[in-house]
Amino acid sequence: MRDTKESRLLLVLLVAIAFALITVDIRGGRNSPVDGARHAAAAAFGPVENGLSSAVDPVGNAVSAIRDSGSRHDRLAALEKENAALKAKLGSDDRNRSRLRQLDKLLKVAGEGQYGIKGAQVIAIGSAQGFSWTITIDAGADDGIKRDMTVLNGDGLVGRVTTVGPSTSTVLLANDPDFTVGTRMEAGDELGFASGQGDRPLRVELLNGKAEVKKGDRLVTFGSQADKPFVPGVPVGVVSRVDPSGGGLTRTLYVTPYVSFTKLDIVGVVVAPPKQDPRDTVLPAKPKPVPTPTVTVTVTPSADAPATDEQQ
């Protein structure tokens, strides 16, 4: 339709009639004079509405699903809670088994070295004192813990106690750059000092610059005066590299520690030193070398080979 004066007048007239019908319908209520027309329109357009309704049924179903999702969510939440409880139980069982293994190893080390220990659990890493490699354990002065006591686990030397509270203590780990411990080579008397280097191997300066050392040699703690801060005989680690001897007064070694400082859980604080130096008894047994297989060669005489006098 072209936009003319007559078309605009017709549009205004239609809008006015529509408003008039709406007003009459509202005021008439059930007795509305247009009620018959409404029923006729419903009969005419009802099938179309049903078709459109079936076309959008998935949307309606989705709305119903959202409306009913409260009870489904509750059931899902209950199942997830039960599943989490089962996982926690399984995880707890695995952790308890791991702790039992750690405790068994710790008690074995304590028995072999005749160390009187107080068992403790690591409850935090790092500390407010600013040390870069420390742990906090759940044993303190109330448990007989004092400053400068040796800390070990089932693998070897962990560190020394630096700060003691009523129920907790801070332990400086052996790989901290501020940590130093006297060492002794296995089956010998070569002494040195091991220092921490963070996540790198320990650095050991042997007092004898001409000492014969090779990769795979093992070290233990030498011990301190009055057994503080270190008791003797605690395994330290294995030599992984030896610097060439340059004719100096000392010789530098690099030692891989027995203890994994990022996996600490159960530790023991030595509250009573051994009555005598355990020497090398606490070191783990050396792995047995794999025997070289013996090759046996069997020679079978050929059928075409000439017979010997004995065969004739």
Side-chain angles (χ1 to χ4, degrees):
M1 179 182 293
R2 295 175 61 185
D3 186 13
T4 61
K5 184 177 180 181
E6 291 79 6
S7 63
R8 274 180 273 169
L9 181 61
L10 178 60
L11 178 61
V12 171
L13 181 60
L14 290 174
V15 171
I17 294 173
F19 274 108
L21 289 174
I22 292 171
T23 303
V24 171
D25 184 39
I26 293 173
R27 291 182 177 179
R30 293 183 178 180
N31 299 321
S32 171
V34 297
D35 191 50
R38 185 188 299 113
H39 285 293
F45 294 104
V48 179
E49 291 177 348
N50 286 335
L52 292 175
S53 175
S54 62
V56 298
D57 249 355
V59 179
N61 291 337
V63 173
S64 298
I66 295 173
R67 188 184 305 115
D68 299 335
S69 64
S71 59
R72 296 179 184 177
H73 178 74
D74 293 340
R75 291 196 297 272
L76 180 60
L79 290 173
E80 288 179 346
K81 185 176 181 180
E82 183 179 354
N83 190 28
L86 289 173
K87 287 183 177 179
K89 185 177 184 301
L90 290 174
S92 177
D93 290 343
D94 290 342
R95 189 174 184 187
N96 287 336
R97 283 192 290 269
S98 173
R99 287 179 172 177
L100 284 175
R101 289 192 295 268
Q102 294 179 57
L103 184 58
D104 286 342
K105 290 179 66 177
L106 175 60
L107 293 176
K108 182 180 178 182
V109 166
E112 291 174 343
Q114 296 300 300
Y115 306 122
I117 63 169
K118 173 65 180 180
Q121 179 182 343
V122 176
I123 57 175
I125 58 173
S127 71
Q129 285 82 352
F131 297 126
S132 56
W133 290 90
T134 62
I135 56 173
T136 302
I137 58 175
D138 62 351
D142 295 343
D143 305 291
I145 308 301
K146 298 179 181 178
R147 180 182 170 88
D148 285 337
M149 283 184 167
T150 307
V151 182
L152 48 79
N153 67 2
D155 296 318
L157 180 67
V158 172
R160 63 180 175 88
V161 177
T162 56
T163 307
V164 181
S167 58
T168 62
S169 301
T170 300
V171 178
L172 181 67
L173 300 180
N175 65 333
D176 188 275
D178 291 334
F179 187 95
T180 302
V181 58
T183 61
R184 180 181 58 79
M185 300 296 299
E186 178 187 11
D189 295 321
E190 296 294 350
L191 304 181
F193 292 95
S195 301
Q197 296 194 110
D199 55 0
R200 293 179 294 167
L202 306 177
R203 180 187 176 96
V204 178
E205 295 291 337
L206 289 184
L207 301 182
N208 181 4
K210 299 179 180 179
E212 295 294 330
V213 187
K214 64 182 181 301
K215 182 178 179 180
D217 286 348
R218 307 189 295 180
L219 295 85
V220 298
T221 56
F222 175 66
S224 307
Q225 185 175 4
D227 298 307
K228 286 188 177 182
F230 303 108
V231 294
V234 180
V236 174
V238 180
V239 175
S240 57
R241 182 163 64 91
V242 181
D243 276 358
S245 177
L249 297 178
T250 63
R251 190 165 193 188
T252 303
L253 317 176
Y254 295 92
V255 174
T256 301
Y258 283 116
V259 172
S260 177
F261 298 105
T262 59
K263 297 180 181 180
L264 294 171
D265 188 7
I266 302 298
V267 299
V269 183
V270 180
V271 295
K275 293 182 179 180
Q276 60 183 12
D277 190 342
R279 299 291 292 180
D280 303 327
T281 59
V282 187
L283 283 168
K286 286 187 175 181
K288 295 181 179 179
V290 179
T292 305
T294 303
V295 179
T296 303
V297 179
T298 304
V299 179
T300 304
S302 173
D304 298 331
T308 61
D309 294 338
E310 294 181 358
Q311 290 175 333
Q312 292 176 350

